[in-house]
């Protein structure tokens, strides 16, 4: 009998996981609230909320290990499952990716450069923080921001009014805009035994906050840039005790790299593989 993989989430990424996993002798159980989820056609689906204790218990009981297909599932659910069976990637990575402030602190702890920022709890802090960082800058909600949602560009002081409301008037971070040359991403992997590997860097083009085109590998990719990206990813993987695939989104600035975000999962800039 092959390994039984439990998965929090049953959307398109879960479906892709199943399609890739079946030739390897894996079977899949999905916990997903939508009864018509696309991954449910390729495995057993438990229909229920991601934080339903009864469903989590069933998922753990019927799985040899558990993963997740996207980072909006509760990290508390991943931690609950971890008490019953291995969870890969680790719940710590999931928690960091869900909160931009935690993500920034992780980059800092790993010595990975990223945009200058200030953490904000309330609107009154926005003006002083923006004047301290300088313009242009960008306000981002700490949680639930994706594909450009939960962000407000602030090119100058005149754009401060309404920016906090535009991101939902929730705890946020303010970032100094990075004058990057291009956006890149690296898909890196770490095994249970600590082996690390990576795909070539790719170049991403977004429109209205959504990834529209990935050039794989990135044009003009040199060995030094690839090695720099792999070194940054390895720091993250080692610090988190990571097992699985990690996407590291990067800015290229004057020939070097700065981290933008991480995604602890299969990623749309890597589906070409």
């Amino acid at each position: 009998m092959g390994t039984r993989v439990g998965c929090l989430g049953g959307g398109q990424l879960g479906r892709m996981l199943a399609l890739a996993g079946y030739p390897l002798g894996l079977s899949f159980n999905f916990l997903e609230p939508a009864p018509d989820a696309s991954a449910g056609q390729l495995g057993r689906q438990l229909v229920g909320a991601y934080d339903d204790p009864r469903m989590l218990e069933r998922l753990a009981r019927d799985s040899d290990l558990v993963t997740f297909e996207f980072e909006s599932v509760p990290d508390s659910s991943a931690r609950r499952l971890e008490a019953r069976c291995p969870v890969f990637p680790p719940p710590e990575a999931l928690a960091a990716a869900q909160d931009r402030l935690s993500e920034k602190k992780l980059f800092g702890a790993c010595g990975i450069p990223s945009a200058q920022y200030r953490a904000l709890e309330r609107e009154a802090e926005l003006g002083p923080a923006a004047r301290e960082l300088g313009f242009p800058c960008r306000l981002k909600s700490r949680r639930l921001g994706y594909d450009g949602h939960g962000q407000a560009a602030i090119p100058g002081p005149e754009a401060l009014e309404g920016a906090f409301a535009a991101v939902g008037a929730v705890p946020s971070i303010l970032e100094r805009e990075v004058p990057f040359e291009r956006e890149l991403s690296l898909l890196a992997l770490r095994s249970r035994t600590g082996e690390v590997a990576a795909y070539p860097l790719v170049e991403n083009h977004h429109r209205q906050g959504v990834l529209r085109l990935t050039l794989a590998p990135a044009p003009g990719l040199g060995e030094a840039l690839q090695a720099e990206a792999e070194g940054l990813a390895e720091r993250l993987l080692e610090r988190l005790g990571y097992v699985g695939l990690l996407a590291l989104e990067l800015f290229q600035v004057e020939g070097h790299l700065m981290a933008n975000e991480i995604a602890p999962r299969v990623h749309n800039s890597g589906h070409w593989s």
Side-chain angles (χ1 to χ4, degrees):
M1 183 177 180
T3 300
R4 302 170 301 166
V5 178
C7 185
L8 289 170
Q12 61 174 343
L13 299 182
R15 182 182 178 89
M16 291 180 187
L17 281 172
L19 289 170
Y22 280 128
L24 303 176
L26 308 178
S27 61
F28 290 83
N29 300 303
F30 298 97
L31 175 56
E32 164 62 46
D36 58 348
S38 60
Q41 300 170 353
L42 295 172
R44 179 187 178 208
Q45 182 182 345
L46 302 174
V47 179
Y50 298 132
D51 58 356
D52 184 323
R54 184 173 59 88
M55 290 297 181
L56 291 171
E57 178 66 26
R58 288 179 61 187
L59 185 67
R61 184 187 65 214
D62 296 340
S63 304
D64 298 311
L65 60 89
V66 172
T67 189
F68 41 88
E69 66 148 359
F70 70 130
E71 58 265 37
S72 292
V73 299
D75 67 286
S76 58
S77 295
R79 295 183 194 279
R80 186 185 185 106
L81 287 163
E82 192 178 35
R84 292 288 314 277
C85 63
V87 175
F88 303 130
E92 290 79 9
L94 179 62
Q98 289 177 344
D99 186 321
R100 293 185 189 278
L101 181 57
S102 297
E103 189 176 55
K104 287 286 192 184
K105 290 179 177 179
L106 175 62
F107 291 151
C110 292
I112 296 174
S114 63
Q116 292 180 285
Y117 74 96
R118 297 292 183 271
L120 308 178
E121 293 290 331
R122 56 192 64 85
E123 185 173 16
E125 299 169 339
L126 176 57
R131 286 185 281 273
E132 185 179 353
L133 281 179
F135 299 96
C137 51
R138 183 175 295 268
L139 187 65
K140 300 179 178 180
S141 61
R142 282 176 51 177
R143 303 182 69 87
L144 301 177
Y146 66 95
D147 290 348
H149 298 293
Q151 298 189 25
I154 305 177
E158 70 286 347
L160 287 169
E161 186 175 352
F164 198 71
V167 301
V170 294
S172 306
I173 64 168
L174 183 70
E175 289 185 357
R176 179 75 185 271
E177 287 277 17
V178 176
F180 59 87
E181 298 152 22
R182 58 178 175 170
E183 294 183 50
L184 302 167
S185 61
L186 182 80
L187 280 294
L189 310 96
R190 185 174 181 272
S191 72
R192 292 197 202 192
T193 54
E195 299 163 296
V196 174
Y199 288 95
L201 277 166
V202 298
E203 180 177 323
N204 299 317
H205 293 263
H206 294 77
R207 189 169 67 251
Q208 296 179 329
V210 178
L211 179 62
R212 306 291 183 174
L213 175 68
T214 291
L215 304 177
L221 177 60
E223 291 183 6
L225 200 65
Q226 179 72 25
E228 182 180 353
E230 291 185 17
L232 298 180
E234 189 163 358
R235 292 184 208 175
L236 290 165
L237 295 171
E238 295 295 336
R239 185 174 186 88
L240 292 166
Y242 204 90
V243 175
L245 180 72
L246 176 77
L248 174 58
E249 299 180 23
L250 299 155
F251 295 136
Q252 183 176 343
V253 184
E254 297 181 353
H256 289 283
L257 299 172
M258 296 177 64
N260 180 31
E261 295 179 349
I262 59 170
R265 54 172 172 84
V266 291
H267 191 257
N268 52 356
S269 68
H271 293 341
W272 59 276
S273 65

